Amino acid sequence: MGMLIDGQWSRDDQRRTNPDGEFVRNASTFRSHIGGAAYPPASGRYHLFVNAGCPWAYRTILYRQIKGLTEHISISFTEPAMGTEGWTFGTPEPLLGARHIHDVYTAADQNFTGRTTVPVLWDKQANTIVNNESSEIIRMLDADFADLSGVADSDHYPPELRTEIDALNDEIYTCVNNGVYRCGFAHSQQAYEQAFDALFATLDKLDARLAEQRFLCGDQITEADWRLFATLVRFDLAYHGQFRCNRNLLSQYPNLWPYTRDLYQQPGVAETVDIEAIKGIYYGARHPGILPKGPQIDFTEPAGRG
């Protein structure tokens, strides 16, 4: 995968596992926020650099769409598969002329050291990265651009549900969002099996929860639903096979599967889901880069959860 060291690209992977073989995700580096004098919300000022297959970047693609911000925040997509210099643009992208995501990072800090991940929220006026932590970016898109949003009454983090949403987010991040990576990137049998067991115990628990209500917090869609959806929509396409998350297919769950279709069928969501990009990120970078034809998944089948 590689990383930047003092602004220079290095092929040294420095795989992120601890002595027990457990995958450990690095913290994001740029953590500024929209709001105040430094980064005021403004139409046309900000730009997203993303990969359509990446579940973390996908969160921001989704929120940009469902919050009605496509005309206010511009966007650049990398090629689906990671190359020898990380995330790569097919041609130099027009905003910075970057050929790789690491060029975006060095445009913000010419001596940057670290992994060059997506998404990246860029300030065109200050010519720097505002934030590269997806969970924080979607909060900004949800709340700080509310005056620009073309979608009324769409707060996905309402005050009365925040304690419940935060608890769900913590569990889902640890065991599901990052849990599939803890399975796929484990370097020991024990680490893999621990992650595997936690993943499916949590999916079983969520499936039982959704037997009683339409969404995770009741009758309204919240941030917890969208954060879970980003993983679920990729589950049978990639994680079940590529990451050895193979106790069950998502489509075998009586409630999680129609719930996923319910979210997919919400206005504007289907056009944000790029099946070929999802396959490309997980299979395309592996020699010889052959993408699987299947599975055939019909996210448009009626969900029956209205």
Side-chain angles (χ1 to χ4, degrees):
M1 295 173 68
M3 62 184 292
L4 283 172
I5 299 176
D6 295 328
Q8 300 298 313
W9 182 255
S10 171
R11 294 289 300 278
D12 183 0
D13 187 43
Q14 298 186 18
R15 176 63 69 185
R16 297 162 288 172
T17 52
N18 66 20
D20 294 324
E22 297 172 330
F23 170 69
V24 179
R25 186 173 296 279
N26 293 339
S28 299
T29 308
F30 293 89
R31 307 297 286 271
S32 297
H33 290 269
I34 300 298
Y39 302 111
S43 179
R45 176 165 175 165
Y46 299 98
H47 186 89
L48 280 167
F49 294 97
V50 298
N51 176 290
C54 169
W56 315 104
Y58 173 72
R59 295 173 172 185
T60 66
I61 298 168
L62 174 66
Y63 265 68
R64 174 179 176 265
Q65 175 71 21
I66 64 176
K67 295 296 294 187
L69 296 171
T70 57
E71 300 301 316
H72 301 286
I73 300 173
S74 52
I75 196 165
S76 295
F77 292 86
T78 70
E79 294 288 288
M82 187 174 288
T84 58
E85 295 190 47
W87 301 120
T88 300
F89 299 99
T91 57
E93 62 79 35
L95 181 63
L96 300 177
R99 299 194 64 89
H100 311 281
I101 281 291
H102 69 71
D103 297 325
V104 176
Y105 279 74
T106 54
D109 177 359
Q110 62 182 357
N111 297 312
F112 180 79
T113 293
R115 295 188 176 276
T116 55
T117 59
V118 287
V120 171
L121 180 63
W122 180 269
D123 183 344
K124 300 177 189 177
Q125 182 170 314
N127 290 315
T128 195
I129 296 172
V130 179
N131 196 294
N132 68 338
E133 168 51 53
S134 65
S135 63
E136 295 176 357
I137 295 173
I138 63 173
R139 289 266 176 96
M140 295 181 227
L141 298 181
D142 197 34
D144 295 296
F145 290 92
D147 290 342
L148 299 177
S149 176
V151 182
D153 300 323
S154 62
D155 182 3
H156 296 102
Y157 191 57
E160 68 275 13
L161 293 176
R162 287 179 183 177
T163 299
E164 186 176 9
I165 292 170
D166 289 343
L168 282 163
N169 283 346
D170 287 345
E171 182 175 20
I172 289 167
Y173 169 78
T174 301
C175 298
V176 182
N177 299 146
N178 198 44
V180 293
Y181 285 87
R182 292 170 58 220
C183 290
F185 291 165
H187 277 201
S188 73
Q189 188 69 32
Q190 180 181 5
Y192 162 66
E193 291 186 8
Q194 288 177 342
F196 181 98
D197 291 344
L199 167 65
F200 283 100
T202 304
L203 291 178
D204 292 345
K205 180 180 177 180
L206 294 170
D207 190 70
R209 184 186 185 99
L210 290 166
E212 305 297 327
Q213 54 198 43
R214 184 176 180 184
F215 303 112
L216 291 178
C217 292
D219 293 331
Q220 69 181 98
I221 300 173
T222 67
E223 178 185 290
D225 295 295
W226 291 128
R227 286 176 53 151
L228 178 60
F229 176 75
T231 297
L232 295 185
V233 78
R234 289 159 171 75
F235 198 90
D236 288 2
L237 289 167
Y239 303 137
H240 181 270
Q242 187 69 287
F243 281 7
R244 304 184 295 269
C245 301
N246 56 4
R247 196 202 75 179
N248 297 89
L249 289 161
L250 176 66
S251 56
Q252 293 172 321
Y253 276 99
N255 302 301
L256 278 169
W257 172 225
Y259 161 82
T260 301
R261 301 199 310 272
D262 193 359
L263 291 172
Y264 178 91
Q265 293 165 23
Q266 296 298 312
V269 174
E271 62 198 78
T272 69
V273 179
D274 187 332
I275 301 299
E276 293 308 306
I278 293 170
K279 292 180 180 180
I281 182 180
Y282 294 106
Y283 293 94
R286 297 172 65 92
H287 182 77
I290 296 172
L291 303 187
K293 289 187 68 175
Q296 299 299 313
I297 302 175
D298 186 4
F299 290 109
T300 66
E301 177 187 348
R305 294 184 66 82

